[in-house]
Amino acid sequence: MKKIITLIALALIANLSISQVVFQSDLSSWAAGNPSDFFGVRTNISATNVVEVTTGAVHGTSFANLINATTSHKRLTTQTLGVVPGETYIIEMWIAGTAGDIRVSHYDNNNSSWGAYTSYQTISGTGLVKYTDSITVASTCNSIEYIISLRNTTALGIGLDSVVITGLLPSQIDLPVTFDDLAVNYTMTDFGSNASMLMTDPTNASNKVMRIIKPTGAQTWAGTTISTPTGLATAIPFSITDKKMTVKVWSPTSGTPILLKVEDASNGAINSEVSVNTTVAAGWDSLVFDFSTATSAINLAN
């Protein structure tokens, strides 16, 4: 059996869940030449490369100019922050600069370990831009230093005008789905040795997709449920006139059969499925699954 790799993206509008701000700084408070909320013990950027600018701030009265023109990253970290074990935190930073790469992570004080870095995002343009990313702390961690990692700035650096860190209780996944909303729980349910992982779109670095791999040796019926075992937040809105679902799929080959099955989360005997072959090799394909043609017909009463 060949290993089959597919990437799936669906269109989604999600409701925001309850959130709580755990850190907020407009870089307006400085002491001994350093921003008061930063320069935790894991900082390795020189204090001379973090400069207070007192004119032109959009948030507060000052902002920080961060300079690291080398290709090796430097870290600016916060003071110690209390966090909820296992929680995902949304990072929002307001940045201005004509060049530079920036990413985020955290240091786990409980386990004396570094969190995984996110992918670099490249800064360009002179106007203030909001940078958004997220970190997830370990289930045994309640204390971190938040890390801003940067490299490849100009000699003038980039301006950091505000940082907000918000803890979220992710909402249950629902249709339509994009895999891009940081407030949604995109935990998948794999079965039969399938393996899924949220990753960056190979054709668009600003887009998130779900990669699904059916490896050699997997069960013929292996698959991935697009939700946790509890299912979607609301029922799929099938009707007499609406029985089609569209899924954007990336596959390395054309002619790959993709089976989409809809099922009652509490009763697997209530289901319907349709198979459609991909028509594009190594590119995105919009596949339409018409459940009015399914052998196991949709029962609207269910």
Side-chain angles (χ1 to χ4, degrees):
M1 180 184 295
K2 294 192 298 183
K3 176 167 39 175
I4 299 174
I5 301 175
T6 55
L7 302 174
I8 297 178
L10 302 102
L12 164 130
I13 299 174
N15 294 323
L16 291 176
S17 56
I18 299 172
S19 61
Q20 180 183 16
V21 174
V22 296
F23 175 83
Q24 187 166 4
S25 174
D26 61 11
L27 284 300
S28 293
S29 175
W30 292 66
N34 297 327
S36 302
D37 302 317
F38 293 83
F39 273 82
V41 296
R42 303 297 164 179
T43 294
N44 70 351
I45 189 172
S46 168
T48 59
N49 287 339
V50 180
V51 180
E52 182 180 11
V53 181
T54 57
T55 58
V58 175
H59 303 281
T61 57
S62 299
F63 66 92
N65 203 40
L66 311 180
I67 304 167
N68 178 27
T70 72
T71 57
S72 299
H73 85 109
K74 293 293 182 181
R75 299 184 302 270
L76 174 65
T77 74
T78 63
Q79 297 295 322
T80 296
L81 303 177
V83 292
V84 176
E87 178 101 40
T88 295
Y89 290 89
I90 309 304
I91 315 302
E92 292 180 312
M93 300 190 295
W94 282 260
I95 295 170
T98 57
D101 301 320
I102 196 162
R103 60 182 181 173
V104 300
S105 185
H106 67 284
Y107 184 80
D108 180 338
N109 291 319
N110 300 91
N111 299 293
S112 301
S113 62
W114 301 95
Y117 279 100
T118 60
S119 300
Y120 278 112
Q121 294 192 41
T122 300
I123 307 303
S124 62
T126 56
L128 203 63
V129 175
K130 184 169 74 169
Y131 165 107
T132 303
D133 218 319
S134 67
I135 58 173
T136 301
V137 302
S139 59
T140 55
C141 172
N142 63 15
S143 174
I144 69 167
E145 284 183 34
Y146 164 63
I147 300 170
I148 301 171
S149 164
L150 71 153
R151 67 180 185 183
N152 296 330
T153 73
T154 66
L156 296 176
I158 60 174
L160 178 66
D161 201 11
S162 180
V163 179
V164 179
I165 303 177
T166 307
L168 289 178
L169 301 175
S171 61
Q172 184 66 11
I173 194 170
D174 206 0
L175 291 175
V177 180
T178 63
F179 299 114
D180 284 317
D181 194 323
L182 296 174
V184 175
N185 181 1
Y186 289 124
T187 300
M188 302 289 100
T189 306
D190 298 318
F191 53 90
S193 297
N194 249 31
S196 63
M197 184 179 74
L198 191 67
M199 63 172 288
T200 300
D201 182 343
T203 66
N204 181 354
S206 65
N207 187 44
K208 295 295 185 182
V209 298
M210 186 62 62
R211 182 181 70 181
I212 297 173
I213 299 176
K214 184 176 183 179
T216 301
Q219 299 292 334
T220 56
W221 41 263
T224 297
T225 302
I226 311 298
S227 72
T228 64
T230 58
L232 302 175
T234 58
I236 299 171
F238 286 122
S239 70
I240 293 175
T241 56
D242 297 307
K243 293 183 179 178
K244 295 179 181 179
M245 297 183 74
T246 301
V247 184
K248 291 184 178 179
V249 175
W250 186 102
S251 173
T253 59
S254 62
T256 300
I258 305 295
L259 184 141
L260 185 64
K261 182 178 184 179
V262 293
E263 179 177 288
D264 188 314
S266 60
N267 183 355
I270 299 174
N271 64 75
S272 182
E273 61 188 38
V274 177
S275 183
V276 177
N277 289 350
T278 59
T279 61
V280 177
W284 286 103
D285 199 358
S286 291
L287 302 182
V288 178
F289 297 82
D290 186 351
F291 285 91
S292 68
T293 67
T295 301
S296 50
I298 289 286
N299 182 348
L300 298 179
N302 292 326

